[in-house]
Amino acid sequence: MLEAIPLWTGGLICILRRRGSAMIEKEEEVVQNYGKRPNCYRDEEEGVELPVKPGVFYYPNTPTAFVVSDALDPDFPIIYVNTVFEISTGYRADEVLGRNCRFLQYRDPRAQRRHPLVDPVVVSEIRICLEKGIQLFSEAKIDLQSVSYPVFKEKCLYQHDHPDRHSPTSRKSPPDGLHQDICGLLQLSDEVLAHNILSRLTPRDVASIGSVCRRMRQLTKNEHVRKVVCQNAWGREVIGTLELMTKKLEWGRLARELTTLEAISWKKLKVGGAVEPARCNFSACAAGNRLVLFGGEGVNMQPMDDTFILNLNSENPTWQRVNVESAPPGRWGHTLSCINDSSLVLFGGCGRQGLLNDVFILNLDDRNPTWRKVYGGTPPLPRSWHSSCTIEGSKLVVSGGCTDAGVLLGDMYVLDLATKNPVWKEIPTSWAPPARLGHSLSVYGKTKILMFGGLAKSGHLRLRSSDAYTINLNEREEIKWRQVECSVGPLQNPVVPPPRLDHVAVSMPCGRVIIFGGSIAGLHSPSQLFILDPSEEKPTWRVLNVPSQPPKFAWGHSTCVVGGTRVLVLGGSTGEDWILNELYELCLASRQD
């Protein structure tokens, strides 16, 4: 049988130990290290057994919130919480894993919620004990057979058949046959454990299983194993993008920070040069560590046709105008997407002669970068205010938008630019979301796309939307749109982003999507961030509280992801003035500059 003994010493440390086994430290050592022995079980030196009421202490009627911290890591990071903890506190596992649990001891200034069932009296007692240096003990029996997490379990069938033989007050060991199931895994070689088992787990699972024993800890701390784990979970392309960050952060820490978002923060960047003349409704995209801006709407609705590049690898990043031959026609309300990490693809928008449906490609690695027009058979209808993204490195996906007559579009097209003669193909579906403009497309899982928000058609009206839909373009059977039905915990208030358009959506390396800004009706703050994991069985929106000052503009901005962990936001409107030369960075992981 396993016990969990939570000890309050600046943070909750839950120690799992096997009673009656020499594998774990003796009970007397725990007493010596942490203070007075809890008086809820037998004092074996005196042979006195204290009365324990079955069903009250060891078998509580109310489920218990359970937290496990890694006492071998600095600052005792949390490696596991159960569902009861998530319901009781209002914090999801992704919000707390990797953090020290001291944040539960007080009301954080940024905290937006505290669960109504949190007992303020208990919280006050904990604070008093911490202030006076008094040790606070608690002991509970945990049935790890009901835990769906890969922590180290021990079969308890024998205990259920003979409950009196293996009670918390008994020192008798279970039959030897039960130990064979436990030790079989550890009889494998390090190579087999690392490459055939550990590498197939998720980063979160690896952090948990590393607490089993010293050997597992050493294996899970191996940088090569951590890299393979991240690669299996996020894909080779993402790992290649994150490679530079791991020169400053280890893979284990990077995976933890991208999971917990414990290091997320806003930062204002100062860059040289300027994008002149002033403009709005431009489009920007990142190719590697280079930020590229094209076009926009100038004074008196003048379409712009110039190209600017900001090289973030330079010591002093500066906006520079790129002199290109045969620039595309000037436009605004277009999209700019990256393919193969070095080229940009331009589509659609509103030009001098009306709406456009042409495609241009710019290869930044060419000695003399030049916009090249691509002919792809019968193109989609001319449009603006559409949304686009790229999948599998070279396929451009275009969705929705608005025609010259003001008709909203609900179609979706794909153009494979890796082929010698690219051809536009419409994606046939039996049902599609309502037609819309100003929405966002976010790629996750290589070929899966999340559509969110926009100005959508609703009967005879056009309303801002907060609906989310997913589609898998690599579906083996019929390709289908699916509306995301976000779940809400039984004791939690629903969190749904307010309806909006002209917002930005950021795809994180781990597949989650962050929604920010946009044109929002009412008194809702456009600077509030929301996060969703569309790959979950029951996706749930969460508010993302970020330290430091966010961008002051609300909508009309452009966002680019650089290096997988840097989200750059530029441009936008406060409702009165257009802001372009301000550059903000949302750091998803620690910067070791």
Side-chain angles (χ1 to χ4, degrees):
M1 185 192 66
L2 297 176
E3 286 183 300
I5 303 182
L7 306 172
W8 287 95
T9 55
L12 182 63
I13 308 170
C14 292
I15 301 178
L16 293 179
R17 59 175 183 158
R18 186 190 320 281
R19 297 185 57 84
S21 172
M23 295 174 61
I24 308 298
E25 296 179 0
K26 292 183 179 180
E27 194 171 85
E28 288 73 18
E29 295 174 352
V30 176
V31 175
Q32 180 179 357
N33 292 333
Y34 296 101
K36 187 177 178 181
R37 178 200 307 267
N39 59 355
C40 50
Y41 49 83
R42 179 186 306 195
D43 190 331
E44 293 181 330
E45 285 83 356
E46 301 176 358
V48 178
E49 182 177 347
L50 298 179
V52 177
K53 231 181 231 187
V56 175
F57 183 79
Y58 291 107
Y59 301 91
N61 295 324
T62 305
T64 304
F66 182 43
V67 182
V68 178
S69 294
D70 190 347
L72 297 179
D73 260 4
D75 206 31
F76 308 110
I78 297 174
I79 59 176
Y80 170 77
V81 295
N82 64 351
T83 304
V84 180
F85 172 90
E86 296 179 286
I87 295 175
S88 300
T89 65
Y91 289 97
R92 285 178 51 110
D94 290 340
E95 294 180 283
V96 301
L97 291 181
R99 301 173 62 182
N100 184 286
C101 54
R102 68 172 64 88
F103 73 93
L104 295 170
Q105 300 172 7
Y106 62 93
R107 180 62 180 263
D108 190 282
R110 299 184 298 272
Q112 299 297 317
R113 64 185 185 273
R114 170 179 282 173
H115 197 277
L117 295 183
V118 174
D119 190 346
V121 177
V122 176
V123 175
S124 177
E125 292 178 356
I126 294 174
R127 289 176 177 171
I128 294 174
C129 291
L130 290 174
E131 291 174 359
K132 296 183 178 182
I134 302 174
Q135 299 291 343
L136 179 66
F137 288 91
S138 177
E139 182 172 304
K141 174 175 174 260
I142 307 298
D143 180 12
L144 292 182
Q145 293 298 321
S146 62
V147 177
S148 60
Y149 208 74
V151 294
F152 202 61
K153 299 181 180 181
E154 177 181 0
K155 288 191 175 181
C156 56
L157 298 177
Y158 187 83
Q159 173 191 343
H160 291 321
D161 295 336
H162 307 82
D164 57 327
R165 300 189 184 183
H166 301 289
S167 64
T169 58
S170 174
R171 282 292 186 178
K172 296 180 181 180
S173 301
D176 294 337
L178 293 182
H179 290 290
Q180 295 177 1
D181 293 336
I182 301 173
C183 301
L185 183 67
L186 299 180
Q187 292 175 0
L188 300 175
S189 66
D190 288 351
E191 184 177 2
V192 172
L193 282 173
H195 294 283
N196 294 354
I197 298 179
L198 297 180
S199 63
R200 301 176 185 272
L201 302 177
T202 66
R204 175 180 168 182
D205 292 340
V206 170
S208 173
I209 204 171
S211 64
V212 169
C213 61
R214 294 183 183 275
R215 182 186 173 196
M216 285 294 184
R217 174 179 168 79
Q218 292 300 322
L219 287 175
T220 56
K221 293 297 181 182
N222 182 277
E223 276 293 283
H224 176 71
V225 173
R226 288 282 192 173
K227 179 179 179 180
V228 174
V229 168
C230 294
Q231 180 174 293
N232 291 339
W234 302 338
R236 291 181 179 272
E237 294 181 2
V238 173
I239 294 304
T241 304
L242 295 173
E243 200 74 59
L244 181 62
M245 280 297 299
T246 57
K247 296 179 180 179
K248 304 173 183 179
L249 295 177
E250 296 179 347
W251 281 105
R253 180 176 174 183
L254 181 61
R256 189 189 80 192
E257 291 189 357
L258 289 178
T259 301
T260 65
L261 293 177
E262 61 191 75
I264 191 171
S265 63
W266 283 110
K267 175 183 177 183
K268 188 173 182 179
L269 294 183
K270 295 181 179 180
V271 297
V275 178
E276 295 178 344
R279 67 196 67 196
C280 64
N281 299 327
F282 57 89
S283 187
C285 183
N289 282 333
R290 292 168 291 188
L291 195 61
V292 182
L293 181 149
F294 177 82
E297 179 184 351
V299 180
N300 297 325
M301 300 181 67
Q302 179 75 14
M304 313 295 288
D305 64 353
D306 43 6
T307 306
F308 293 84
I309 291 183
L310 180 69
N311 189 352
L312 298 173
N313 278 337
S314 62
E315 186 175 350
N316 298 304
T318 303
W319 282 109
Q320 295 180 343
R321 183 192 298 267
V322 181
N323 295 319
V324 297
E325 298 179 4
S326 62
R331 65 193 68 199
W332 45 271
H334 54 285
T335 56
L336 195 64
S337 308
C338 178
I339 58 174
N340 300 325
D341 295 327
S342 61
S343 298
L344 301 173
V345 55
L346 170 70
F347 175 78
C350 183
R352 287 184 175 87
Q353 306 301 323
L355 298 187
L356 303 166
N357 61 351
D358 49 1
V359 179
F360 288 85
I361 291 181
L362 176 68
N363 190 344
L364 298 177
D365 291 340
D366 288 346
R367 179 173 297 181
N368 298 309
T370 302
W371 285 102
R372 176 175 59 87
K373 189 171 183 177
V374 176
Y375 298 90
T378 304
L381 290 174
R383 65 192 66 200
S384 63
W385 307 115
H386 54 280
S387 185
S388 71
C389 63
T390 56
I391 62 173
E392 298 182 319
S394 62
K395 295 180 180 179
L396 173 67
V397 180
V398 174
S399 164
C402 181
T403 67
D404 245 335
V407 177
L408 297 183
L409 299 172
D411 53 3
M412 177 174 277
Y413 284 81
V414 62
L415 180 67
D416 190 352
L417 296 167
T419 59
K420 185 176 181 180
N421 298 308
V423 177
W424 281 105
K425 294 181 180 180
E426 185 174 6
I427 299 174
T429 57
S430 57
W431 173 86
R436 65 192 61 215
L437 62 80
H439 54 291
S440 61
L441 296 181
S442 306
V443 180
Y444 69 100
K446 297 183 180 180
T447 60
K448 299 177 182 178
I449 298 175
L450 173 74
M451 174 193 288
F452 174 77
L455 185 67
K457 185 177 180 180
S458 177
H460 298 290
L461 302 177
R462 296 181 178 185
L463 303 175
R464 292 178 177 89
S465 172
S466 61
D467 295 333
Y469 304 88
T470 61
I471 189 171
N472 184 359
L473 299 185
N474 198 28
E475 198 86 52
R476 294 184 178 180
E477 300 178 355
E478 181 185 3
I479 298 178
K480 297 180 180 179
W481 280 104
R482 296 176 175 84
Q483 184 166 4
V484 178
E485 300 291 343
C486 296
S487 64
V488 179
L491 299 177
Q492 301 179 30
N493 295 323
V495 175
V496 178
R500 65 189 68 202
L501 74 151
D502 291 342
H503 56 281
V504 294
V506 178
S507 297
M508 295 180 57
C510 51
R512 290 179 292 176
V513 177
I514 296 176
I515 301 296
F516 167 71
S519 173
I520 307 174
L523 301 177
H524 299 287
S525 171
S527 61
Q528 181 66 68
L529 276 74
F530 296 85
I531 187 170
L532 178 75
D533 188 348
S535 62
E536 290 182 341
E537 184 178 354
K538 296 181 179 180
T540 304
W541 284 106
R542 293 187 291 122
V543 175
L544 191 58
N545 297 311
V546 182
S548 61
Q549 187 67 30
K552 61 183 179 182
F553 43 77
W555 60 282
H557 47 283
S558 213
T559 301
C560 314
V561 180
V562 177
T565 62
R566 305 176 64 188
V567 181
L568 297 179
V569 181
L570 67 157
S573 172
T574 61
E576 298 178 359
D577 300 319
W578 285 93
I579 309 295
L580 179 61
N581 293 327
E582 286 188 357
L583 199 63
Y584 280 81
E585 177 180 349
L586 180 65
C587 306
L588 302 180
S590 301
R591 293 284 305 276
Q592 304 292 325
D593 296 331

